[in-house]
Amino acid sequence: MTDIASLRPALAVAVAAAAVVPILASGRRPNVREGWTVLAAGGAFALVASMLPAALDGTVRVSHLGTLVAGVDLSLRADPLGLLFATVASLLWLVTSFYSIGYMRGLGENDQTRYFAAFAASVAAALGVAFAANLVTLFVFYELLTVATYPLVTHDETAEARAAGRKYLAYTFGGGVAVLAGTVLVAAMTGTTAFTAGGIAGLVDADPVLSRAAFVLLVGGFGVKAALMPVHSWLPDAMVAPTPVSGLLHAVAVVKSGVFGIARVVLDVYGVDLTGALGLGLPLAVVAAATLTLASVIALRQDNLKRRLAFSTVSQLSYIVLGIAILDPTAVVGGLLHIPAHAFMKLTLFFTAGAIHVETHTDDISDMAGIGKRMPLTMLAFGVAAAGMAGIPLVAGFVSKWYLLIGSVSAEQSVFAVVLLLSGILNIAYFWPVFYQAFFEAEDDHDAKPLVEFPLGGEPRSILPETPTPDSGAVTDGGHGDHGDHGHDDHGYDKHDEHGHDDEHDDDHGGPPADGWERRGWLGGESTWFMLGPILVAMTGAVLIGVIPETAVFLRLVDLIVEGATGVSVL
């Protein structure tokens, strides 16, 4: 790789950060405010995309921002690993921006200006994480990401939201302290914290005990945002936030910054060879394998759709960590490719959950029998993304998991291949019933699955409301400022409590009206295109990665990363 000085990495971060000011200034003019959001998202993505061709040809753009202390530069470097994360974050920010307009206006959410400003700040921090050239710069932006996302987690301002926010800060700032301690140890042992493909040379001759301690601190700190067990519980609790924020947490920025940090430590701080020589790969792989299995089992018992998706994320993130920890080049390819694969699939799933809530005020899976009649395109997209999560061919998850399986066997660690296959079965177990209920079960007589109880199975019951609720027609646009019309959904349910907060997590979870779901056509009418369009775009991205992974750029980037770290090209 050849480094050249360039302002583009810094500009990509600056464009996203600078958007905060005009967004805040346009609070009384929602269309202008959201125009700034889309413009900034498009600009940031264009800058990131413009650096891809050069990186694929071996040229890395570097922005030097100054010196923090002697020997520690604040630098941004758009290498292939950084561009992998930055491309995902910037592209999906653009998609999520359109979705957010439909979601926030559809529910007449409070403080929309603060929401869009915090979202821009969060993506700016995520791009800083992606392009960080050393551990110190990574730590700075890693902590800024926590600060920027806190207002989003607590957006509803309820007691539950504030509690989730406090837990989020406690966990992630605690992880940040561990990252800082590990960074200091690495600097003391080697005199540098700069990322180097294949690892920092000075660590080879360092004290093995201190080296292992620094590794544990760094991976443990990043493992908090990567939701590795047992430091994962902040993530399901953060589902109290609006659904686009859930997408940010799970697909676009936050949890991906955690697995990205682990990838940096293994590939560019310690290197694959030293990680193996110190005996650090296998314990990390065991933690990842345990997390992906246990989280899948817990997901089976979640009736709230967003919490089921949250535990699915805990599981799926560990696929990435497992691939990296196995240390085999093919497995590392599978792990890194799962970063964009999971992002597109999980964003699709959260987008569908949000659309269901906006249009029908339904959040619990046990209330969704027959909902495919009301929202056919939405539930079809859910089915496609869920199939990919389970590793079904022609969707992104199949390609990444294929490399993971081959890499596990190649590394003579077939036990992890068995774990991966078991997890795929569990994925089917907690996703298929949702899709099946949506299209193949009637509202008035269905089995109350897929909440797993003992004895196994559900109990047939009716989910019809005791008091008939009249159909009140389509949702009107409530987005005329930060305090728009609270409105009702298509079945007459109030969308907000008396304080103007979304009651997505209250006791009333909607469900079908007395006369069943209204049948809608396949060409629209089930939701606004501000939400339906991004759902279909995210689903299409998941399919493209599954069908043409090299043409979709991500696999080529991943192979370049692995070749630089291991000297082996898998393609």
Side-chain angles (χ1 to χ4, degrees):
M1 288 288 177
T2 303
D3 288 4
I4 62 170
S6 172
L7 289 176
R8 288 193 209 179
L11 284 175
V13 177
V15 164
V20 173
V21 175
I23 288 172
L24 290 174
S26 306
R28 295 184 179 276
R29 303 175 66 186
N31 291 336
V32 175
R33 174 192 64 206
E34 289 150 14
W36 280 115
T37 298
V38 173
L39 183 63
F45 173 65
L47 283 165
V48 171
S50 72
M51 293 183 276
L52 282 170
L56 291 171
D57 289 334
T59 301
V60 176
R61 299 181 186 275
V62 182
S63 299
H64 295 286
L65 306 180
T67 301
L68 291 178
V69 294
V72 179
D73 292 331
L74 190 64
S75 300
L76 300 176
R77 187 171 183 269
D79 65 358
L81 181 54
L83 281 170
L84 176 69
F85 182 28
T87 302
V88 172
S90 59
L91 175 57
L92 295 185
W93 179 30
L94 180 59
V95 176
T96 306
S97 294
F98 286 101
Y99 182 86
S100 294
I101 295 170
Y103 183 93
M104 302 300 280
R105 291 192 177 198
L107 289 177
E109 282 281 358
N110 62 297
D111 293 315
Q112 294 183 30
T113 298
R114 182 186 66 194
Y115 165 86
F116 283 107
F119 214 110
S122 298
V123 177
L127 292 176
V129 167
F131 292 142
N134 53 63
L135 280 170
V136 175
T137 306
L138 176 55
F139 168 76
V140 170
F141 283 103
Y142 190 74
E143 294 296 83
L144 287 175
L145 181 58
T146 296
V147 174
T149 48
Y150 173 76
L152 297 172
V153 174
T154 60
H155 177 82
D156 283 349
E157 299 179 0
T158 61
E160 184 182 6
R162 291 190 179 95
R166 289 192 296 271
K167 188 172 188 178
Y168 174 63
L169 289 181
Y171 272 67
T172 54
F173 276 144
V177 170
V179 170
L180 179 60
T183 299
V184 170
L185 272 179
V186 169
M189 288 186 290
T190 66
T192 182
T193 61
F195 298 132
T196 306
I200 298 173
L203 280 172
V204 175
D205 300 320
D207 185 323
V209 175
L210 289 179
S211 294
R212 291 188 180 96
F215 184 92
V216 171
L217 286 168
L218 289 168
V219 170
F222 289 123
V224 174
K225 279 183 180 169
L228 289 175
M229 289 184 172
V231 289
H232 69 288
S233 64
W234 66 268
L235 187 57
D237 288 353
M239 293 305 95
V240 68
T243 300
V245 177
S246 301
L248 172 75
L249 293 171
H250 290 254
V252 179
V254 178
V255 295
K256 291 301 189 298
S257 72
V259 293
F260 175 80
I262 292 174
R264 280 292 194 199
V265 170
V266 173
L267 302 179
D268 294 339
V269 176
Y270 281 76
V272 169
D273 292 338
L274 181 59
T275 301
L278 293 173
L280 298 169
L282 183 58
L284 180 58
V286 170
V287 172
T291 298
L292 70 88
T293 303
L294 292 173
S296 294
V297 172
I298 296 172
L300 284 166
R301 294 183 56 84
Q302 306 304 309
D303 190 37
N304 180 277
L305 181 57
K306 283 179 65 176
R307 284 189 64 85
R308 178 166 294 203
L309 294 178
F311 280 103
S312 169
T313 294
V314 174
S315 174
Q316 294 288 327
L317 290 172
S318 287
Y319 282 86
I320 302 169
V321 178
L322 178 61
I324 295 167
I326 288 173
L327 304 179
D328 177 85
T330 306
V332 176
V333 167
L336 293 178
L337 185 61
H338 204 60
I339 292 176
H342 173 262
F344 281 92
M345 294 184 298
K346 186 51 62 74
L347 197 63
T348 303
L349 294 171
F350 271 110
F351 279 179
T352 59
I356 292 169
H357 176 70
V358 170
E359 297 300 328
T360 72
H361 202 43
T362 301
D363 305 306
D364 288 348
I365 299 166
S366 57
D367 290 333
M368 292 182 184
I371 202 171
K373 294 186 297 184
R374 171 64 177 79
M375 308 186 74
L377 273 178
T378 300
M379 296 312 299
L380 176 63
F382 182 96
V384 171
M389 299 291 277
I392 304 299
L394 302 183
V395 191
F398 169 76
V399 181
S400 56
K401 292 181 182 182
W402 174 262
Y403 280 108
L404 283 168
L405 284 168
I406 297 301
S408 299
V409 175
S410 175
E412 298 182 350
Q413 297 183 18
S414 298
V415 63
F416 295 125
V418 174
V419 170
L420 289 167
L421 292 172
L422 173 62
S423 179
I425 294 171
L426 291 172
N427 271 257
I428 295 172
Y430 63 73
F431 277 128
W432 168 248
V434 183
F435 185 79
Y436 180 82
Q437 280 191 173
F439 287 106
F440 302 109
E441 287 196 344
E443 303 94 308
D444 58 349
D445 185 21
H446 80 285
D447 189 0
K449 290 189 295 289
L451 192 63
V452 175
E453 302 287 356
F454 293 93
L456 292 176
E459 178 183 352
R461 64 179 178 86
S462 172
I463 61 169
L464 295 180
E466 295 180 4
T467 304
T469 307
D471 188 342
S472 62
V475 178
T476 58
D477 182 271
H480 304 291
D482 283 357
H483 301 280
D485 177 21
H486 291 172
H488 294 75
D489 66 17
D490 280 358
H491 302 286
Y493 296 105
D494 289 332
K495 291 183 175 298
H496 299 271
D497 63 19
E498 65 272 20
H499 302 293
H501 297 301
D502 177 13
D503 61 356
E504 183 171 348
H505 302 277
D506 292 347
D507 292 334
D508 181 7
H509 297 288
D515 53 353
W517 299 110
E518 177 186 354
R519 186 175 295 277
R520 299 287 177 95
W522 286 88
L523 298 178
E526 61 188 81
S527 180
T528 170
W529 280 101
F530 270 110
M531 288 191 292
L532 192 57
I535 289 172
L536 298 179
V537 168
M539 181 197 73
T540 301
V543 172
L544 289 177
I545 296 174
V547 176
I548 48 172
E550 289 185 60
T551 306
V553 174
F554 293 115
L555 184 56
R556 292 166 59 196
L557 267 179
V558 167
D559 187 60
L560 199 60
I561 296 164
V562 174
E563 184 178 6
T566 66
V568 177
S569 175
V570 175
L571 297 183

